[in-house]
Amino acid sequence: MPESKTLTIKRPDDWHVHFRDGAMLATVVPYTARQFARAIVMPNLVPPVTTITAANAYRDRIAAAVPEGVAFTPLMTAYLTDETDTDELANGFEQGVFSAVKLYPAGATTNSASGVTDISRVAGVLERMQDIGMPLLVHGEVTDPDVDVFDREAVFIDQVMSQLVADFPALKVVFEHVTTRDAVDFVADQSGPVAATITAHHLVINRTDIFRGGIRPHLYCLPIAKREVHRQALRAAATSGNAKFFLGTDTAPHAISVKETACGCAGIFSAPTALEVYAGVFDEEAALDKLENFASLNGPAFYGLAANTETVTLERAELVVPESVISAEGEAVQPFQAGETLGWRLA
Ligand code: DOR
Ligand code: ZN
């Protein structure tokens, strides 16, 4: 079969992004808006986004950073805490302000200190969310410092996720940024409304890459990349066409100064070329015909939204990832695969 030179798909959405705030927000939003029609925006600001008022204000700041002439809709999320007011969430969902709720186990990752200390404390909130069809987005890692960092996702399935889906069988749950074969199998096996996002970087790197020739802080994120067998399981799931798996980049910009340091932050900034990286993976897996399902159809179907009607075209052409992007305050951020040449580009 001759290789096709272009691929046209319905415009995709990104179901997991970190935009930050202030000068960083202004710098990174255009990269996501260039490729994606909508994005689920994570609420882990300091302080976290917990109220309708805060989410509306944050949405307006994001909208102000979208370039002229670009159509982009941020979908806002609420940050779940032990003290979350159920009515605030439900009202926000019913008013169309909140699209979902994000569960960070307290201490699991960047700006998660206000997260949930024990899932039993939010049982009432989850009950109500189940009733009204409001999705729960889960950072699926245990926080016990004695659990090996590479095992935290698999242990979370046994200790938390299995019980969660048993206790709330009709709750819409997204297992965010899955990194293990265990998580892929768990999600695929569920008969209820349980789905998963998969990042571009977890499809490309395994844990050995973090240490290739020296320690590479720009490949450090949470959940951390796992062994090659897990990367292969993620690639199989993403390219399978299974509607339970969809695109969520988890693009998470941090200034180079806080990445390249003695105790660097977790997060990979993949927004500048995310769609092109995914396209390269699907091409390598001979599954370009499944990219539209993963990037443009499965996510909206899970969230109960219509797919986008406009299309985007990717072309087989060289694209060099920028070495860095600089914010208005002069902070530099290094994109995923900075300086490397990709084989696909948005036309
Ligand atoms: O690597 C990560 N960075 N993982 C997360 O869960 C949060 C994110 C961030 O906000 O920087
Ligand atoms: Zn994230």
Side-chain angles (χ1 to χ4, degrees):
M1 218 170 41
E3 279 198 336
S4 55
K5 291 204 164 50
T6 65
L7 175 67
T8 297
I9 59 172
K10 287 209 162 86
R11 194 161 175 228
D13 305 298
D14 186 344
W15 300 96
H16 188 135
V17 304
H18 298 269
F19 279 150
R20 315 303 188 203
D21 216 336
M24 182 72 92
L25 177 147
T27 306
V28 301
V29 164
Y31 292 106
T32 294
R34 176 181 76 90
Q35 302 162 78
F36 300 104
R38 297 169 287 200
I40 283 277
V41 180
M42 289 297 137
N44 63 331
L45 304 182
V46 185
V49 179
T50 54
T51 63
I52 295 171
T53 306
N56 275 328
Y58 188 32
R59 189 192 51 211
D60 292 348
R61 297 198 294 281
I62 294 165
V66 176
E68 275 294 313
V70 174
F72 174 73
T73 306
L75 303 174
M76 310 310 291
T77 60
Y79 186 116
L80 188 60
T81 75
D82 287 352
E83 275 81 47
T84 289
D85 175 21
T86 307
D87 288 334
E88 182 78 6
L89 292 193
N91 291 339
F93 184 61
E94 273 146 23
Q95 292 169 24
V97 178
F98 292 133
S99 294
V101 175
K102 180 66 187 280
L103 165 65
Y104 288 104
T109 186
T110 307
N111 301 340
S112 63
S114 312
V116 174
T117 59
D118 189 318
I119 202 123
S120 65
R121 297 189 181 229
V122 293
V125 181
L126 300 179
E127 194 73 49
R128 181 80 165 275
M129 289 170 60
Q130 175 171 252
D131 287 347
I132 62 176
M134 187 176 197
L136 179 72
L137 317 183
V138 180
H139 183 110
E141 288 191 286
V142 293
T143 56
D144 180 348
D146 291 336
V147 175
D148 189 288
V149 70
F150 295 99
D151 295 336
R152 287 182 191 170
E153 183 174 284
V155 172
F156 186 87
I157 297 170
D158 292 342
Q159 293 188 354
V160 184
M161 200 60 140
S162 304
Q163 195 62 47
L164 176 72
V165 302
D167 290 346
F168 303 96
L171 179 65
K172 285 187 176 185
V173 176
V174 182
F175 199 150
E176 295 290 338
H177 43 52
V178 289
T179 61
T180 57
R181 184 173 58 187
D182 313 61
V184 163
D185 290 348
F186 175 84
V187 169
D189 285 349
Q190 298 307 309
S191 54
V194 180
T197 52
I198 303 179
T199 76
H201 50 275
H202 288 116
L203 294 171
V204 172
I205 62 164
N206 62 29
R207 68 187 198 177
T208 296
D209 292 311
I210 304 169
F211 306 100
R212 208 169 284 288
I215 192 158
R216 298 189 174 268
H218 295 284
L219 299 185
Y220 173 57
C221 65
L222 291 171
I224 197 160
K226 307 299 192 297
R227 288 178 182 276
E228 179 64 7
V229 291
H230 298 291
R231 187 180 76 104
Q232 291 301 334
L234 299 176
R235 288 170 79 103
T239 59
S240 66
N242 184 337
K244 287 178 165 288
F245 299 99
F246 46 85
L247 185 158
T249 62
D250 196 17
T251 177
H254 291 280
I256 290 175
S257 57
V258 297
K259 292 288 291 176
E260 298 178 5
T261 182
C263 187
C265 294
I268 293 180
F269 175 48
S270 60
T273 57
L275 187 59
E276 288 97 339
V277 172
Y278 281 114
V281 169
F282 277 67
D283 192 11
E284 286 163 9
E285 297 292 326
L288 283 171
D289 60 323
K290 297 292 196 315
L291 183 64
E292 185 175 58
N293 299 72
F294 179 76
S296 317
L297 302 178
N298 297 349
F302 182 84
Y303 276 85
L305 300 169
N308 299 305
T309 49
E310 58 288 25
T311 59
V312 296
T313 297
L314 287 144
E315 57 190 16
R316 215 181 267 282
E318 290 192 348
L319 172 69
V320 179
V321 181
E323 289 287 353
S324 67
V325 306
I326 316 282
S327 82
E329 285 178 351
E331 266 181 341
V333 188
Q334 183 171 311
F336 181 55
Q337 297 186 306
E340 292 182 34
T341 302
L342 306 178
W344 286 87
R345 151 178 107 190
L346 250 187

